[in-house]
Structures are given as structure tokens and as C-alpha cells.
């Protein structure tokens, strides 16, 4: 009897976590009710179509989402500016390298022409 109870409890625990790994593997929240319109928006509206006033929790979630968006946009902008700086540095190094190679080729050509004239 003890094993039967233990198995049923283990099965209940696993059932409560159903889909958790899948949702997390595709980048969603752990459970289906942590984010999204069912979590953020009001549950009902009045007969005339008006929504009830937002609760403090809903306002908090809205501010959190806005702040997260601002932070992510700032990070993306910072990454883009750093990327552009690195690309610019790479291009200038490439130009310097190409110029150095051209100068060496010209000097080699000049040396070769000098030695050919003497012979």
C-alpha cells in the first residue's frame, strides 16, 4: 500500500509539470499562465464594452514589460554601435594591409627592373 501511494504522488507531481520542458525548450515561459494576454489584460468587460480599471498588479506587469523592452532595445543599440566600430576598424586595417602589400610589390618591381638593367 505504501508503494502505491508513493507512485500516485510521483505521478501527480509529474502531471503538474506536463509540458514545462517543451515550453522552455521553445523559449516560452515555464507555464502557460505566466505571460500573455490572459495574464495581463482584464478578465471581462462591461455590457457597454468598457473594460474595468487596471489593477495594481496589471499596472506593475505593464511597467515591467515596458522596462524590459527599453532595456533590450538599449542593449541591441549598444551591440549595433560596437559592431559598427569593429567593422570600421577591420576595414581600416584591411586598407592599411592592402596599401602595405601594394608598396612592397612596387618596391620589388623597382628592384627587379634595376637588376635587369644592370645585367
Amino acid at each position: 500500500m505504501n508503494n502505491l501511494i508513493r507512485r500516485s504522488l510521483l505521478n501527480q507531481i509529474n502531471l503538474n509539470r506536463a509540458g514545462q520542458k517543451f515550453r522552455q525548450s521553445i523559449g516560452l515561459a515555464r507555464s502557460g499562465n505566466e505571460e500573455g494576454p490572459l495574464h495581463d489584460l482584464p478578465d471581462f468587460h462591461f455590457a457597454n464594452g468598457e473594460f474595468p480599471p487596471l489593477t495594481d498588479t496589471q499596472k506593475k506587469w505593464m511597467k515591467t514589460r515596458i522596462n524590459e523592452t527599453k532595456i533590450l532595445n538599449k542593449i541591441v543599440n549598444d551591440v549595433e554601435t560596437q559592431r559598427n566600430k569593429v567593422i570600421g576598424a577591420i576595414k581600416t586595417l584591411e586598407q592599411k594591409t592592402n596599401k602595405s602589400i601594394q608598396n612592397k610589390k612596387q618596391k620589388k618591381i623597382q628592384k627587379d627592373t634595376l637588376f635587369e638593367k644592370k645585367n
Side-chain angles (χ1 to χ4, degrees):
M1 190 76 158
N2 193 10
N3 286 338
L4 181 64
I5 293 172
R6 189 178 313 149
R7 280 190 212 150
S8 67
L9 287 174
L10 287 174
N11 284 338
Q12 286 178 350
I13 290 170
N14 289 334
L15 287 177
N16 289 339
R17 296 182 189 164
Q20 177 179 351
K21 288 182 184 177
F22 171 74
R23 284 190 292 274
Q24 287 179 331
S25 71
I26 60 172
L28 296 176
R30 179 177 48 88
S31 65
N33 63 354
E34 290 181 2
E35 293 182 10
L38 295 177
H39 185 265
D40 296 340
L41 299 176
D43 295 335
F44 66 95
H45 59 84
F46 295 109
N48 63 1
E50 291 181 15
F51 289 102
L54 296 174
T55 63
D56 291 337
T57 307
Q58 289 171 332
K59 290 177 185 176
K60 182 186 98 173
W61 277 107
M62 288 173 65
K63 286 180 183 177
T64 302
R65 298 224 192 289
I66 290 170
N67 288 338
E68 287 175 354
T69 304
K70 286 180 182 177
I71 290 169
L72 289 174
N73 286 336
K74 186 178 184 310
I75 290 171
V76 167
N77 289 336
D78 290 346
V79 167
E80 283 295 319
T81 56
Q82 292 299 321
R83 178 180 175 268
N84 290 335
K85 285 181 183 178
V86 169
I87 288 173
I90 289 171
K91 286 182 180 179
T92 56
L93 284 173
E94 185 179 19
Q95 289 172 352
K96 287 180 181 179
T97 306
N98 289 339
K99 191 173 183 180
S100 172
I101 291 170
Q102 287 177 354
N103 288 339
K104 288 180 182 180
K105 283 182 180 179
Q106 287 176 354
K107 286 181 182 180
K108 184 177 179 185
I109 291 171
Q110 288 175 351
K111 284 182 184 179
D112 290 344
T113 55
L114 284 174
F115 287 119
E116 285 178 8
K117 287 181 182 178
K118 288 183 180 180
N119 291 333

